Amino acid sequence: MSGVVAGFTVIFVIIAIGYILGRRGTLGAEGESVLGRLVFFVATPALLFDSLASSDLSVIFSPTLAVAAATALTVGALYMVVAKLWLHRSLPELTIGALSSSYVNSANLGIPIAVFVLGDASFVAPLLLFQIIAYSPIALTILDVTTLRRGASRLDTITAPFKNPIVVAGAAGLLIALLGWTPPEALMQPFRLIGGASVPGALLAFGISLYGVRVLEKGTSPRRDVALASVLKIVVQPVLAYVMARYLLGLGGHELFAIVVVATLPTAQNVFVYASRYGVGTVMARDTAFVTTLAAIPGIALVSGLLAG
């Protein structure tokens, strides 16, 4: 349990600092927007490029990857179907909702939890790479195409995904990894330094967004959307991960425990950054990230009690 608390302490402290910055107005009225754009257009692409260019892609082909990909896509699709039939949301809103229900906080929270609770950060690597290589590009492509201004040409629609900095940076990093080329350290160091601002920047922007608002406030927050996404993220995704790992892949012991813990991680703050960038579902993404982060603490503790050892 101490490992769970230690991992979550990091994220709560940085969010609290962001909240204080918002309360004091240190970054001005547009601080959240500017910081979010910096994370989306500069820091996150740099982080993805550095991470993929220097990664060992052999870690992708593992049971963790199979479970991570299957559960994320299944839960995301389930959200879209239910929210479409029940809540009648638009495709961009459904996309943000799907991410909120299945996009795991694999970096800024996943790595500390993997270290403190699982004893090995490599358990989160396949999930991190899957979200970088496949899940983000799929979701961002949908958002790029569905949020284009009216009257956009067919060329704009086709080329929109290829202008997205996160997709471009991820593709470039993956290409370098596939080629087996090791770029000079002097070339990679700037990307590493700038990429280091991605995680704290996203958390600070999230913290700033919390000032002056009430999470799940009636009339402002889409509570049904948040409830649906939160239940899918904290309950359905871990259960699905357990069933698939235990009964389809025949896994057990510490490997099964690790897969379920990773699936129980909360919604990533990156989803809020994406929502802010496209101007859709921001409140829903913010509230879901907040609710699932709180719910993940007892959730991971429960998983540890049932499966650890």
Side-chain angles (χ1 to χ4, degrees):
M1 183 62 183
S2 60
V4 177
V5 174
F8 277 88
T9 298
V10 176
I11 187 172
F12 283 131
V13 168
I14 300 178
I15 290 174
I17 293 173
Y19 178 85
I20 294 172
L21 291 175
R23 181 182 179 87
R24 295 176 61 87
T26 305
L27 302 183
E30 300 298 322
E32 176 197 334
S33 175
V34 173
L35 188 56
R37 290 174 64 84
L38 177 66
V39 171
F40 185 89
F41 285 101
V42 183
T44 298
L47 175 65
L48 300 189
F49 177 76
D50 175 55
S51 299
L52 284 176
S54 58
S55 66
D56 179 5
L57 296 183
S58 64
V59 301
I60 294 179
F61 303 103
S62 67
T64 303
L65 171 67
V67 175
T71 56
L73 295 175
T74 300
V75 171
L78 181 60
Y79 175 90
M80 296 186 80
V81 171
V82 174
K84 180 64 177 178
L85 296 176
W86 178 35
L87 304 173
H88 309 291
R89 303 307 185 203
S90 65
L91 185 54
E93 292 174 315
L94 291 174
T95 302
I96 293 297
L99 289 175
S100 297
S101 67
S102 59
Y103 197 98
V104 174
N105 194 329
S106 57
N108 52 315
L109 187 53
I111 292 175
I113 290 295
V115 171
F116 288 119
V117 179
L118 305 177
D120 187 353
S122 67
F123 281 112
V124 81
L127 170 63
L128 179 61
L129 291 177
F130 162 71
Q131 293 187 157
I132 291 172
I133 294 172
Y135 207 17
S136 285
I138 291 172
L140 294 177
T141 296
I142 295 174
L143 290 169
D144 275 324
V145 173
T146 57
T147 59
L148 280 174
R149 66 187 185 279
R150 291 184 178 181
S153 66
R154 180 176 300 178
L155 180 62
D156 289 333
T157 303
I158 295 174
T159 60
F162 303 100
K163 297 176 182 178
N164 187 294
I166 293 178
V167 175
V168 172
L174 179 60
L175 178 61
I176 289 178
L178 289 173
L179 292 175
W181 176 52
T182 302
E185 182 63 22
L187 176 63
M188 296 304 297
Q189 190 64 21
F191 292 98
R192 191 165 299 121
L193 289 172
I194 296 174
S198 176
V199 170
L203 291 173
L204 288 172
F206 182 74
I208 294 173
S209 74
L210 294 177
Y211 173 67
V213 300
R214 294 183 179 179
V215 177
L216 299 176
E217 184 176 15
K218 185 177 181 180
T220 302
S221 175
R223 293 183 175 183
R224 292 180 298 176
D225 303 66
V226 173
L228 174 60
S230 298
V231 170
L232 288 173
K233 179 71 215 64
I234 298 300
V235 179
V236 176
Q237 192 166 14
V239 170
L240 187 60
Y242 175 83
V243 171
M244 181 176 180
R246 176 70 177 83
Y247 297 106
L248 295 184
L249 300 179
L251 302 178
H254 191 67
E255 190 171 17
L256 174 63
F257 169 55
I259 287 175
V260 179
V261 166
V262 170
T264 313
L265 290 169
T267 303
Q269 273 72 33
N270 298 54
V271 179
F272 171 75
V273 173
Y274 297 162
S276 299
R277 165 67 185 92
Y278 292 96
V280 59
T282 53
V283 176
M284 189 266 185
R286 181 200 67 202
D287 288 2
T288 303
F290 185 83
V291 170
T292 57
T293 298
L294 293 179
I297 300 175
I300 293 177
L302 177 62
V303 171
S304 300
L306 294 175
L307 300 179

